[in-house]
Amino acid sequence: MVRPIELIPLVCVQCSTRLPAQPDEVAWVCPQCGQAQLLDDDDGLTPLTIRYAAGITPGSKGNPFWVAKGQASLRRETYSGNKDRDAQVFWSQPRWFFVPAFNCSLETLVGTGARLLLQPPQLQPGPAAAFEPVTLPLADVTATAEFIVMAIEADRKDKVKQIQLKLALEPPALWILPRM
Ligand SMILES: [Zn+2]
């Protein structure tokens, strides 16, 4: 007898209410008790603190971002039009990374991530709000942040040949930001 595949429903770590989990989602707020939680490949479901920024229009959804401070160190090689000095100055201090955690195109992900890194918003805490599904796993944040750095460097007005990048990222927090 062939048994049907059984999907194990995700239940809240605090009150055991079934979570309204959709495929590809990795974080939820329990509809019963309000506990936020994150699904991790290694650790399973664990409690999560979600931070809400001020400015989300009441009744609308905010966008989730993984936000972390990171120190990039990079070595650039260029064919011509050397902008290495600009790059060195820019990355000489830690920067705040805003990695889109919602489902979006690669273009949007990199474009939004680069724009917010170059002009970081001031995060003022605000009331809890609904938000778009969180689909970018925590485990993918560093690689995505590196991708954003590479996009910024490729965008400098010189002919970059090669970039060696090391990025030390602090543990990210999940922020819900107003749509921009
Ligand atoms: Zn709950």
Side-chain angles (χ1 to χ4, degrees):
M1 194 177 112
V2 178
R3 301 179 66 173
I5 294 170
E6 202 175 328
L7 292 173
I8 300 164
L10 289 171
V11 297
C12 174
V13 292
Q14 186 161 285
C15 74
S16 298
T17 295
R18 191 170 170 165
L19 296 171
Q22 297 296 313
D24 296 336
E25 291 183 12
V26 296
W28 305 269
V29 171
C30 174
Q32 184 66 32
C33 73
Q35 173 69 50
Q37 39 218 301
L38 176 71
L39 183 63
D40 182 90
D41 281 348
D42 297 328
D43 301 332
L45 213 48
T46 52
L48 170 73
T49 301
I50 297 183
R51 294 159 213 277
Y52 297 89
I56 299 170
T57 311
S60 77
K61 287 182 176 176
N63 276 336
F65 285 82
W66 291 110
V67 179
K69 202 161 134 183
Q71 176 71 63
S73 48
L74 52 94
R75 286 176 54 190
R76 296 170 105 250
E77 272 182 54
T78 50
Y79 290 108
S80 65
N82 201 320
K83 294 278 184 190
D84 288 352
R85 176 103 191 106
D86 293 1
Q88 261 175 25
V89 170
F90 183 78
W91 297 110
S92 65
Q93 55 174 295
R95 295 283 171 179
W96 283 98
F97 287 78
F98 296 81
V99 176
F102 50 94
N103 190 27
C104 60
S105 69
L106 188 61
E107 198 182 356
T108 302
L109 190 147
V110 173
T112 305
R115 184 165 49 84
L116 294 181
L117 192 150
L118 295 170
Q119 293 179 322
Q122 295 295 318
L123 296 179
Q124 306 286 352
F131 52 89
E132 294 294 331
V134 180
T135 55
L136 188 84
L138 185 58
D140 291 355
V141 173
T142 299
T144 311
E146 287 173 350
F147 203 62
I148 291 168
V149 174
M150 297 303 248
I152 290 171
E153 287 310 310
D155 208 36
R156 290 191 196 279
K157 301 296 175 220
D158 63 2
K159 289 190 174 138
V160 67
K161 180 181 176 187
Q162 191 182 324
I163 298 168
Q164 284 181 354
L165 169 66
K166 266 194 223 157
L167 178 61
L169 209 60
E170 291 181 2
L174 190 66
W175 274 86
I176 310 301
L177 303 186
R179 284 202 207 192
M180 286 159 281

